[in-house]
Amino acid sequence: MIVIRSIAHLREQREAWRKAGEMVGLVPTMGALHTGHLSLVERAQAYSTLTLVTLFVNPTQFAPGEDFDRYPRDEAGDLAKLEAAGVAAVFAPEVAEMYPGGSLTRVSVPQLGDVLEGEFRPGFFTGVATVVAKLLILVQPDVALFGEKDYQQLLVIRRLAADLHLPLTIEAGRTIREPDGLALSSRNAYLSADERRIAPSLYRVISRLAADVAAGADSAQRAEAAMADLTAAGFSRVDYVSVRDGETLQPWTDRRRRGRVLAAAWLGRTRLIDNVPVPDLPA
Ligand code: PAF
């Protein structure tokens, strides 16, 4: 497995892969890898002849006061997992390599990036879109993989790739969950034992909400009740629980379109997000 630190080395390597006729699959990550990331790697390997994983904790997607400094980092552990998974190359640059002094350009995806997470974390999706655009331009993958766990991020990136005419396919990986339903996330490492016991209620509550609205319940009223359920379960704050159109992320008003339930809630200092589709009713 090649570990690449510089853009110059990445470009050189990309050119060699092009000459060799390789199909490159890209899995961008911020490290602290778990089974969810490794399942994206596995999908990427099925779509490509070689897989490149990026490990980069991107400072521009963290607001001042968020967890950039304490975000879990374990490069040695990550490299060992990726090597064992048969990854061909890892791009793990320093911040100054990705954002050299004087770097001003930002990429933003209004509307899709302004709602839900965008309301509670202003600037977050501009940071994500900026770094993902850089990575897609640098790596020039044939396919790039993103998890459905970050559903809004997936939609923002799909739109970014379409709007910038980037010649690649974006594939989604399904959310990987613990046996009790908690979606895998690097931030789960922050949870205390008590918080970890409460955390699976997020998935339970939004799954129940999704089933109820599929059966005809009013989505705004049920979403409000779900927020109260999360507070009752022990969440210290609920940013939102909302039923949205699965493509536009506007409120879900047209039942012929796919709906998606999205939620964000806090357990102490840890913010968890999750989402599930509104299921089709059995015919
Ligand atoms: O989902 C993540 O880990 C990050 O937001 C991403 C896509 C790697 C960009 O920094």
Side-chain angles (χ1 to χ4, degrees):
M1 187 173 77
I2 312 166
V3 179
I4 301 171
R5 303 279 176 191
S6 72
I7 288 171
H9 184 189
L10 178 60
R11 289 208 166 109
E12 208 176 278
Q13 196 54 60
R14 184 64 186 94
E15 195 44 33
W17 289 331
R18 188 183 333 282
K19 286 193 178 130
E22 302 283 7
M23 295 260 305
V24 176
L26 170 67
V27 182
T29 81
M30 297 208 297
L33 301 179
H34 50 66
T35 316
H37 296 113
L38 297 177
S39 83
L40 291 178
V41 167
E42 219 173 277
R43 295 276 311 275
Q45 287 167 330
Y47 288 120
S48 57
T49 57
L50 66 81
T51 300
L52 181 145
V53 175
T54 66
L55 301 177
F56 181 64
V57 184
N58 172 38
T60 64
Q61 68 190 76
F62 292 80
E66 285 191 343
D67 56 345
F68 176 71
D69 288 332
R70 68 185 185 109
Y71 194 83
R73 289 165 172 86
D74 174 20
E75 192 185 273
D78 290 344
L79 292 177
K81 286 176 190 163
L82 295 173
E83 177 119 58
V87 163
V90 171
F91 179 48
E94 293 292 332
V95 170
E97 187 72 6
M98 290 299 281
Y99 295 101
S103 167
L104 289 175
T105 303
R106 293 290 180 268
V107 178
S108 63
V109 183
Q111 296 179 32
L112 276 178
D114 291 341
V115 297
L116 301 168
E117 286 300 283
E119 274 173 44
F120 287 88
R121 302 184 68 191
F124 169 68
F125 283 120
T126 296
V128 169
T130 300
V131 79
V132 170
K134 282 172 180 271
L135 293 172
L136 295 180
I137 290 166
L138 287 168
V139 176
Q140 299 177 25
D142 297 285
V143 58
L145 281 286
F146 296 88
E148 276 191 348
K149 155 78 171 39
D150 298 297
Y151 187 78
Q152 186 175 4
Q153 170 174 282
L154 172 67
L155 295 188
V156 164
I157 290 166
R158 276 195 199 286
R159 177 51 71 96
L160 156 104
D163 288 353
L164 297 181
H165 311 287
L166 298 178
L168 80 156
T169 311
I170 304 284
E171 290 290 342
R174 71 183 177 87
T175 303
I176 308 295
R177 299 183 181 280
E178 300 280 8
D180 60 11
L182 176 64
L184 295 195
S185 160
S186 306
R187 288 189 168 101
N188 291 351
Y190 299 152
L191 297 171
S192 69
D194 271 357
E195 291 166 345
R196 176 64 189 82
R197 264 193 296 279
I198 298 167
S201 321
L202 182 57
Y203 176 58
R204 272 200 296 277
V205 165
I206 63 172
S207 300
R208 210 161 47 220
L209 164 58
D212 288 354
V213 296
D218 178 90
S219 54
Q221 274 174 16
R222 270 300 283 112
E224 226 166 279
M227 289 177 70
D229 291 344
L230 288 176
T231 307
F235 279 85
S236 39
R237 194 161 91 223
V238 182
D239 282 349
Y240 60 84
V241 176
S242 194
V243 189
R244 297 291 170 118
D245 182 290
E247 277 175 36
T248 65
L249 294 183
Q250 292 306 301
W252 187 56
T253 49
D254 183 348
R255 286 179 167 268
R256 289 165 305 180
R257 292 173 58 83
R258 295 311 305 255
R260 196 100 194 169
V261 178
L262 301 104
W266 291 81
L267 279 168
R269 290 171 69 204
T270 307
R271 187 169 182 277
L272 299 180
I273 61 171
D274 203 350
N275 69 87
V276 291
V278 173
D280 287 330
L281 274 188

